[in-house]
Amino acid sequence: MMACLLEAPLRISVLSEVTATSRHYVDRLFDPDPQNVLQGVIDMKNAVIGNNRQKANLIVLGAVPRLLYLLQQSSSSLELRTECAVVLGSLAMGTENNIKSLVDCHIIPALLQGLLCSDLIFIEACLRCLRTVFISPVTPVQLLYTDPTVIPHLMSLLSRSQHTQEYITQIFAHCCKTPEHQTVLFNHGAIQNIAPLLISPSYKVRMQALKCFSVLAYENAQVSMTLVNVLVDGEQLFQVFVRMLQRDKPIEMQLTAAKCLTYMCRAGAIRTDDNSIVLKTLPCLVRMCSKERLLEERVEGAETLAFLMEPDIELQRIASVTDHLVSMLADYFKYPSSVSAITDIKRLDHDLKHAHELRQAAFKLYASLGSNDEDIRKKITETENMMDRIVSGLSESSIKVRLAAVRCLHSLSRSVQQLRTSFHDHAVWKPLMKLLQNAPDEVLVMASSTLCNLLLEFSPSKEPILESGVIELLCSLTQSDSPALRVNGIWALMNMAFQADQKVKVEIVRALGTEQLFRLLSDPDTNVLMKTLGLLRNLLSTRPHIDQVMSSHGKQIMQAVTLILEGEHSIEVKEQTLCILANIADGNTAKELIMTNDDMLQKIKYYMGHSNVKLQLAATFCISNLVWNEEDGEELRTRGFCGGSQERQDKLREMGFVDILHKLTQASDPNLCDRAKTAMQQYLA
């Protein structure tokens, strides 16, 4: 109760102070004489310029609804309506809270309505205010698209003046955030309407038009393909972009033009080996990473360059030898520098703010550079303290930096040499395992992909990871709703089971559970299915293991194999399944599960005569293993099994397999022909 009593008078005193200095401005908006109202609005305009406190006071006192009312009244003079728009624009220039208040008072529909007026000066005042409101991060961009008549009307206003061009293109550039927005703007003729503005005499117009094209083309093939064929004053549009990359142009223009060309290239509209990319865009983006540039520019340059060359090994190679890029990026980790801490507090604050972004951008660019080429990866890991930086990046507070660091690690983990050297030396697996505990999905996907590589049989990290209890963690990933995480979980288990000892295999089967294993064998995602088959194939890899797994899970495994061979699956899936069957056929006791299953033998027969050579080969492998002539007859007979190789050979001959093998020895495919001949020799042995 006390708190309330104390607070109330305090609030009144603050308000009374506000009221005293600002109330008369608002009161004059209600004067019955229109001339006094106009003068009141003009005085208010002069009072709020550059004065955030005054702006906040007037908003608190309810000036906004009254200004909007006057702006919308047909009885208001044009001059009054224009002055109202100017004051509202000035109020919008204040804090984010001001913008929120304006949006809550429905300023956007009121101003959009105002654009239907024919007076240019009024239209420009409305657009200027709309521009200020829309470029604020607190304004929902969707408000631009609520009324379907707005975008076409804005397009029609582009030709009115340089001011309308600048404000409208700036609104478009800020409000185009999704593929749906791109489509709406594209369908209303954004490209044809905005392209001529790239050669406007006004720098601001040219710049905003360029920004529009960068957001329209981002990951959009339809826009990018259209841009290639556009002519501006007889010149191809992308050549206009290339001219804007020149060193004498403002940095902002060079960077944005480089983005446009990058996005067109990534969408397939410009070839990666085109001169405009190799000789112009790429070198321009590398320049943006240099020490001379502002921190913001270096971040944007590095992220755009990473995106440009992500899928292309040639561009990665060119970039890696351009202007010492690899060592230039090492500098991104040196902020905030100790020097700035002593000399300039403002600079330190700026550096701190951008330090995360710089590290994130550097990791992204290293990831992109090293995604294919062994020499580049070596160059990266040999850069000063690079592995230490990645390791500390994995535990940074910023989620974006962690994600970029793990992307970088994933890229480097594709290298056999790095797995054997720097990954082992820096015990990278420890922070990686830590990262896998309760991280968001996008981090989990990258981290688990990296783990898959660390579990390859030649990786020295495999042993310590196994000892750290990773199997449970991977099994839990296979139950994720995200297909990418299920794939990575099962893929890592598959790598772990490759040439593993029996203890590890038993542990995998125990932790995963047969129920989950068979659920994964009917997963709707083909990648999950393929990796699960790969795991099964690795579990069934040496005779004692094959026999042991099949003695405990044989019935279910044969059932799963049957279902897959009968189902609508790709050649790859069926080939992998037949390879599992061939492994089972190689077991000592396990092969009986096939020999006593006539339905399965008929399936093998069917696939030996299939039109696809891969399936014929895999099926022939099965038969080859079943007829294999070893001294196994006696031993098995004593255990009560149906004879050795002789009995098996006789049964398969009766079923017509010898005739098929004979036919396959004439096959045009040399591998298939050899495999059939090898099997036939068993009959002669």
Side-chain angles (χ1 to χ4, degrees), residues 344-351:
D344 182 355
I345 286 296
K346 211 169 184 181
R347 163 86 188 280
L348 173 66
D349 191 47
H350 176 260
D351 283 8

Side-chain angles (χ1 to χ4, degrees), residues 278 282 313-322:
V278 178
L282 187 141
I313 187 166
E314 265 321 299
L315 289 179
Q316 290 156 13
R317 284 179 179 150
I318 295 164
S320 73
V321 295
T322 305

Side-chain angles (χ1 to χ4, degrees), residues 174-192:
H174 267 275
C175 295
C176 184
K177 303 280 189 202
T178 67
E180 293 73 35
H181 297 162
Q182 290 173 326
T183 303
V184 171
L185 291 168
F186 178 81
N187 289 344
H188 285 109
I191 293 176
Q192 301 81 318

Side-chain angles (χ1 to χ4, degrees), residues 425-469:
D425 300 341
H426 292 81
V428 167
W429 65 272
K430 284 183 184 168
L432 191 66
M433 288 290 290
K434 199 172 165 202
L435 194 62
L436 280 162
Q437 318 292 334
N438 65 49
D441 272 11
E442 53 180 346
V443 174
L444 270 181
V445 169
M446 269 299 149
S448 53
S449 291
T450 311
L451 195 62
C452 287
N453 293 343
L454 289 175
L455 286 167
L456 290 164
E457 91 278 11
F458 50 74
S459 160
S461 310
K462 182 173 179 176
E463 280 311 308
I465 294 174
L466 272 177
E467 286 157 22
S468 73

Side-chain angles (χ1 to χ4, degrees), residues 64 67-68 71-72 84-85 87-92 98-114 126 129-130 133-134 139 143:
V64 177
L67 288 166
L68 285 171
L71 178 115
Q72 290 170 288
C84 285
V87 175
L88 288 163
S90 194
L91 294 177
N98 293 8
I99 300 256
K100 276 184 187 150
S101 306
L102 293 173
V103 173
D104 290 344
C105 290
H106 306 291
I107 189 173
I108 291 175
L111 291 170
L112 289 172
Q113 193 62 33
C126 288
C129 183
L130 278 166
V133 172
F134 272 121
T139 306
L143 293 172

Side-chain angles (χ1 to χ4, degrees), residues 344-367:
D344 182 355
I345 286 296
K346 211 169 184 181
R347 163 86 188 280
L348 173 66
D349 191 47
H350 176 260
D351 283 8
L352 274 169
K353 207 163 97 196
H354 288 92
H356 285 315
E357 291 171 15
L358 282 162
R359 288 197 290 278
Q360 181 191 342
F363 282 141
K364 275 188 189 169
L365 188 41
Y366 277 138

